[in-house]
Amino acid sequence: MLDVDGLSVSFALPGATVRAVTDASFQVRPGRCLALVGESGCGKSVLAHALLGLLPGNAAVGGSAVLRTGGEALDLIGAPPAVLARKVRGRMIGLIPQSPAGHLTPVRTARSQLEEAVRELRSPRTARELAERFGLGDADLDRYPHELSGGMAQRVVNAIALAGDPGLLLADEPTTGLDRPLVDRAMGVLRELCDEGRAVLLITHDLRAAERVADDIAVMYAGRLVELGPAAQVLERPRHPYAAGLVDAQPDRSFAPIPGMPPELSHLPGGCAFAPRCARVTPACRAVPPLADGVACWEAADAARA
């Protein structure tokens, strides 16, 4: 469904260049969920916005992101803005946004916004069918966004995201501000959509949420993918020191934070960006490790060869 190859995004600022995403490559397939995880500010949401052409004018984007559906292949990075607006967004790719209540228009009811999406995207389903899919009744749809709970707003944007019957869903931090039962419910919905044959790219910093729904996990640090593999492998036997630190920081593990702070994306260190925080650093870390066999770490690669 989606093949991303060498995707890079940088922003030109006065006196600095922010390298938000560097050489990211991954695939998302029908019926599977890939969770992109990492600390806030590592470039996850920038990557998602690049796929939809929603970056500001000072962004420079390289690489490719080919979306294949119905026998057609479209490179999202090189596609004209009009194609992205009229053909891709909402129709080929559905967006479940961060902070759902803030994403909705505040002066219109949930019903009017869902009906507009159904009408403009020529949905094969009615607004009522989409609402019922997510447990929304008439009383819920007649509320304004500020009258909706976090969980109810989540259901509304889920229904809107499915209005165009997209094959790929991009969920950008969809659990922000939700309590754990609502997080589990939201992840359950994403899993159901995968089981129906859709592809899902989940952007999150919540490893527990990723574990609930993901088939595969990609770990991002300072704009680079440092580990990529099956979810069970990454969560139970992480090979990159940063991925291991994320897992160990979970409450059901050692609950120990990773020492230090991530680098600023405008002042990345030479070599491995994680080296200043890593207890396993070696002289080889002065060079940037490639993502080989699912891990970008010289020490892990040496251990695998041994």
Side-chain angles (χ1 to χ4, degrees):
M1 178 67 70
L2 177 67
D3 291 296
V4 176
D5 185 22
L7 179 61
S8 296
V9 181
S10 61
F11 299 96
L13 301 178
T17 298
V18 177
R19 293 176 175 83
V21 180
T22 303
D23 197 26
S25 298
F26 58 87
Q27 299 176 336
V28 188
R29 289 287 176 255
R32 297 183 70 84
C33 172
L34 172 67
L36 182 59
V37 304
E39 293 168 294
S40 297
C42 71
K44 304 187 302 298
S45 291
V46 171
L47 187 153
H49 293 164
L51 298 177
L52 291 170
L54 297 176
L55 296 174
N58 66 333
V61 186
S64 66
V66 178
L67 185 64
R68 293 181 173 87
T69 180
E72 181 181 2
L74 175 66
D75 187 355
L76 301 174
I77 304 305
V83 171
L84 292 173
R86 298 172 185 170
K87 187 174 183 178
V88 175
R89 299 180 197 134
R91 294 173 173 86
M92 299 173 74
I93 302 178
L95 175 64
I96 299 176
Q98 186 175 1
S99 303
H103 182 79
L104 297 168
T105 303
V107 296
R108 297 175 57 197
T109 64
R111 182 189 302 278
S112 68
Q113 296 181 64
L114 178 56
E115 290 178 344
E116 179 184 50
V118 167
R119 181 175 63 254
E120 296 298 327
L121 297 175
R122 299 178 181 177
S123 176
R125 296 178 177 84
T126 66
R128 178 172 292 278
E129 288 173 336
L130 289 168
E132 290 177 349
R133 167 72 190 270
F134 294 102
L136 295 166
D138 288 338
D140 305 316
L141 293 176
D142 289 332
R143 294 177 180 173
Y144 290 89
H146 72 275
E147 297 175 314
L148 299 171
S149 66
M152 200 62 68
Q154 181 70 57
R155 297 184 197 183
V156 172
V157 297
N158 285 348
I160 291 174
L162 281 188
D165 197 28
L168 173 64
L169 283 168
L170 200 164
D172 184 13
E173 299 282 7
T175 60
T176 299
L178 301 183
D179 59 25
R180 184 50 57 183
L182 290 177
V183 169
D184 291 340
R185 184 181 301 172
M187 292 303 98
V189 169
L190 290 182
R191 186 65 255 173
E192 290 176 5
L193 296 173
C194 285
D195 293 341
E196 293 173 2
R198 301 180 197 272
V200 173
L201 176 58
L202 170 64
I203 311 292
T204 185
H205 61 271
D206 186 342
L207 286 186
R208 182 172 170 183
E211 182 179 22
R212 176 77 170 77
V213 66
D215 299 288
D216 306 288
I217 289 181
V219 182
M220 177 174 274
Y221 183 77
R224 288 184 179 273
L225 296 186
V226 297
E227 186 161 349
L228 173 62
Q233 173 185 300
V234 174
L235 294 175
E236 296 299 328
R237 299 180 303 279
R239 294 182 289 164
H240 194 281
Y242 175 66
L246 286 181
V247 172
D248 287 342
Q250 299 307 298
D252 58 344
R253 297 296 182 92
S254 62
F255 206 28
I258 302 173
M261 296 291 291
E264 295 183 13
L265 296 178
S266 58
H267 296 87
L268 292 173
C272 175
F274 189 63
R277 305 173 70 184
C278 184
R280 293 154 52 183
V281 66
T282 70
C285 300
R286 288 193 290 265
V288 177
L291 184 67
D293 296 323
V295 63
C297 176
W298 296 117
E299 191 270 346
D302 289 342
R305 284 193 293 269

